[in-house]
Structures are given as structure tokens and as C-alpha cells.
Amino acid sequence: MFASAVLSFAFAASALAVPALQARQSGPCAGFGAGSTVTPTYNFTLTAVPSGAGANATGAPLVLGWGPAGDSPAASEWVLSTEASWGENEWPYITLQDGALLPQPGTDEHGLGAYNFGTDTGDEVLFTIIGEEASPSTAEIFCAALVSGSYVELAVNGDAGNFALCNATTTWVSNQVNLVYAPNADNEDYTYETCTPVRVELIPYDG
């Protein structure tokens, strides 16, 4: 009887442990290495590095720029563009909170917030600029992922390996280059033939 009680206790403890383990492995960081997180303790910028390049390879810094056209530039969605193609950086750094990617406004953008409400395959990584909210209903789909152990990569929807830089079809500036998740030929916001695969690294911000 004592042995039966011990076995029953052990089984119950095991059953309780399994959901806890599954919870730790779920969400935007599922499948990535230990230390991957949806809430890093530091602010950062993003840099697009050619896929397959070494750990110390030079990348293209990414900044917020105007995206697909609305009725006016102010009404458009915003995207992550290469700083070289957009030409300025009014949102100097980014935070990641519970999987929500949140560009932070500079002095001229004070009182505004940039929110991503979802990124599907084929999409540019889009943000909507609205009045800053304490608890916006933003998509919690991003991860600061340890893939190789040499650098921290941005992942979306549990995937760090399908980002690309593509030439935009918008004409806000000449030859604007935007970040796209898993590009496809059917999307008219960028020219598919120009897309080049990249990994997106998080660079700690010390400004």
C-alpha cells in the first residue's frame, strides 16, 4: 500500500511538471536556445546582416520609415527600412516587451507610439503610429533568439530564418529598401526579384 501511494505521488508530480515545461517552451521563443527571451533587459537597435555571414559581419542598420501608402504620408503604415535608403532615424531605439516589438520615439515624435499588430508571411514588418498607449493591443509575436550562440537574432512567429531586404514599390524616397518576412512574388509593396536574405541582429543601444 505504501509503494502504491509513493507511485501515485510520483505520477501526480510528473503530471504537474509536464505542463510547466511546455509553458516554458511555448510562445514566440519556442524552439530557440536557452537565454532566448520575449523581454530582453536592454534597449537595442536592429541590423540586417546577409544570411550566412560570420558573427562579426557588417550589416545595414534598420530604422522606421514610411511604408505602404495611405491617403497621405502621415496616414501610411510604417516599415523597417535600411537607414541608408531612408536617410534619417527619428525612432532611435527599440524595446521588446512580452514579445511586442516597440520602436521608441525621439524628441520630435514625443507622445507617439509605434505598434505592430501582426506580421504574416510575405509582409513587410509594419507599424502603425498612433498616440502612445499604456497597454496597446499589439502583437506579441517577436523573440530575441539565440540561434548560433554568437549573436542575438530577431524572430517572428517562431522563425528567425526568413527575413529579407527588398526594394519597396512606394516612392517616398528613391530606392527605399524594407525588411520583409518570408517574401513572395504576389505582394505588390516590394519587388520580389530584388529581395536578398538576411538575419536581423539585436545590437544593444547605449545612447
Side-chain angles (χ1 to χ4, degrees):
M1 182 174 181
F2 176 77
S4 176
V6 170
L7 287 173
S8 296
F9 176 80
F11 178 81
S14 175
L16 289 172
V18 169
L21 179 61
Q22 290 175 337
R24 287 195 297 270
Q25 293 178 338
S26 64
C29 288
F32 294 117
S36 299
T37 178
V38 294
T39 307
T41 58
Y42 54 90
N43 302 325
F44 56 88
T45 60
L46 295 174
T47 295
V49 178
S51 293
N56 297 316
T58 300
L62 300 174
V63 299
L64 274 189
W66 293 338
D71 295 331
S72 68
S76 71
E77 294 180 289
W78 291 54
V79 294
L80 288 171
S81 301
T82 61
E83 186 173 18
S85 71
W86 182 244
E88 59 184 356
N89 184 10
E90 297 176 310
W91 299 73
Y93 66 91
I94 299 173
T95 63
L96 183 61
Q97 300 176 17
D98 297 323
L101 194 65
L102 300 169
Q104 299 300 303
T107 303
D108 292 341
E109 311 301 324
H110 181 71
L112 298 177
Y115 305 109
N116 173 280
F117 294 103
T119 300
D120 296 323
T121 57
D123 286 351
E124 295 173 313
V125 181
L126 298 172
F127 295 86
T128 300
I129 307 297
I130 56 178
E132 189 173 12
E133 298 180 20
S135 300
S137 298
T138 187
E140 297 177 346
I141 56 175
F142 294 92
C143 173
L146 292 177
V147 178
S148 74
S150 299
Y151 39 79
V152 180
E153 293 184 48
L154 184 70
V156 61
N157 303 324
D159 182 7
N162 278 301
F163 287 112
L165 291 179
C166 306
N167 288 6
T169 54
T170 51
T171 56
W172 305 125
V173 296
S174 178
N175 299 316
Q176 185 175 351
V177 179
N178 295 341
L179 185 69
V180 177
Y181 171 55
N184 66 60
D186 295 328
N187 193 306
E188 297 181 354
D189 293 329
Y190 52 86
T191 304
Y192 177 75
E193 290 75 17
T194 66
C195 295
T196 57
V198 295
R199 65 173 183 261
V200 180
E201 296 185 14
L202 279 67
I203 309 298
Y205 177 75
D206 57 4

